[in-house]
């Protein structure tokens, strides 16, 4: 009962943060799921299960978050269309690649990735050129990398898409909204990849591949309610403060996974 309550709280908080920061919520879900599922899942596939479950939950969280941001008219759908084709390919490839990765490697990769993105955001590094001047190959390569890394670490891609857009001089609130939209195809492709990757591995009666279905249902019930609330707060908040908060949030999560 305590575990279900913890999963419901996780869903509420990750959903709110997903709407607020344009992330899928995997940044929060993966570290917490590592802790909550540690006694149920073999350590060899614990990280894979946490990441796969987080990506599956992000599918539902993203739908709720995207609807709220779209109602605000904040999503740049033309950027979404440029990134999505190669993001889908990258996310599916990333999920399959995790079969070759150990728990410690995935944990270290996740933590270092978080800390690097946090530093870029916090110090406000940006390009001198506007995003509309980027070549098509840059969009394709960026989409593939975002999808690949997002699937490996179990995120909706907002922690890469938002910095990419803000680096190229897109307003933080529009970047967050667009990142929320980009997170949906990443989560769908990544979750499918984790189902396929874990089909032949014994991971428990309540699992579908590397997705823990009981944890998934508990998280989704609350996250879809709280994601729109986070989106509303995002559009009322100060852009610069929101960006700094995002950076500090990422740094905290990166450090928490390092010491797990």
């Amino acid at each position: 009962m305590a575990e279900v309550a913890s999963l419901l709280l996780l869903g509420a908080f990750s959903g709110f943060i997903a709407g607020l920061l344009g992330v899928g919520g995997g940044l929060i879900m993966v570290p917490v799921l590592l802790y909550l599922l540690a006694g149920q899942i073999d350590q060899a596939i614990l990280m894979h299960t946490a990441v796969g479950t987080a990506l599956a939950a992000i599918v539902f969280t993203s739908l709720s978050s995207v609807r709220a941001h779209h109602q605000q008219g904040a999503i740049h759908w033309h950027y979404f269309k440029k990134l999505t084709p190669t993001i889908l390919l990258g996310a599916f490839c990333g999920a399959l690649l995790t079969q070759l990765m150990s728990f410690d490697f995935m944990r270290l990769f996740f933590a270092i990735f978080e800390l690097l993105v946090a530093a870029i955001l916090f110090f406000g590094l940006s390009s001198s050129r506007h995003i509309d001047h980027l070549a098509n190959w840059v969009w394709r390569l960026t989409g593939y990398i975002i999808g690949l890394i997002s699937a490996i670490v179990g995120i909706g891609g907002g922690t890469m898409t938002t910095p990419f857009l803000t680096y190229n001089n897109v307003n933080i609130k529009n970047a967050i909204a667009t990142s929320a939209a980009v997170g949906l195809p990443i989560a769908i492709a990544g979750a499918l990849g984790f189902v396929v990757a874990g089909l032949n591995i014994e991971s428990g009666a309540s699992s579908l591949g590397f997705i823990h279905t009981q944890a998934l249902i508990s998280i989704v019930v609350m996250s879809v309610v709280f994601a729109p609330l986070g989106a509303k707060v995002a559009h009322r908040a100060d852009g610069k403060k929101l960006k700094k908060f995002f950076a500090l949030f990422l740094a905290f999560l990166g450090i928490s996974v390092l010491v797990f």
Side-chain angles (χ1 to χ4, degrees), residues 8 25 102-103 107 146 180 188 210 239 246:
L8 290 171
S102 68
F103 171 83
R107 181 172 64 88
I146 289 173
I188 292 171
F210 282 131
F246 193 6

Side-chain angles (χ1 to χ4, degrees), residues 14-77:
S14 60
F16 181 79
I17 292 295
L20 179 68
L21 300 179
V23 298
L27 291 162
I28 303 162
M29 285 187 266
V30 171
V32 177
L33 285 171
L34 285 176
Y35 174 77
L36 293 176
L37 299 178
Q40 306 175 36
I41 306 292
D42 188 288
Q43 183 160 319
I45 58 168
L46 177 58
M47 188 68 177
H48 303 72
T49 304
V51 170
T53 304
L55 282 168
I58 289 167
V59 173
F60 301 93
T61 306
S62 290
L63 283 168
S64 183
S65 177
V66 168
R67 183 173 178 273
H69 282 294
H70 180 66
Q71 287 175 340
Q72 298 282 345
I75 299 174
H76 286 318
W77 287 107

Side-chain angles (χ1 to χ4, degrees), residues 2-13:
E3 183 186 304
V4 173
S6 297
L7 288 167
L8 290 171
L9 284 172
L10 172 61
F13 185 64

Side-chain angles (χ1 to χ4, degrees), residues 57-104:
I58 289 167
V59 173
F60 301 93
T61 306
S62 290
L63 283 168
S64 183
S65 177
V66 168
R67 183 173 178 273
H69 282 294
H70 180 66
Q71 287 175 340
Q72 298 282 345
I75 299 174
H76 286 318
W77 287 107
H78 49 296
Y79 299 151
F80 169 87
K81 291 175 183 176
K82 287 186 176 183
L83 287 168
T84 296
T86 49
I87 273 180
L88 289 169
L89 177 62
F92 190 75
C93 290
L96 296 181
L97 274 175
T98 60
Q99 295 178 89
L100 308 175
M101 299 176 185
S102 68
F103 171 83
D104 286 333

Side-chain angles (χ1 to χ4, degrees), residues 99-120:
Q99 295 178 89
L100 308 175
M101 299 176 185
S102 68
F103 171 83
D104 286 333
F105 177 84
M106 287 181 72
R107 181 172 64 88
L108 189 62
F109 186 92
F110 182 96
I112 292 173
F113 165 74
E114 296 285 88
L115 293 171
L116 282 174
V117 175
I120 291 170

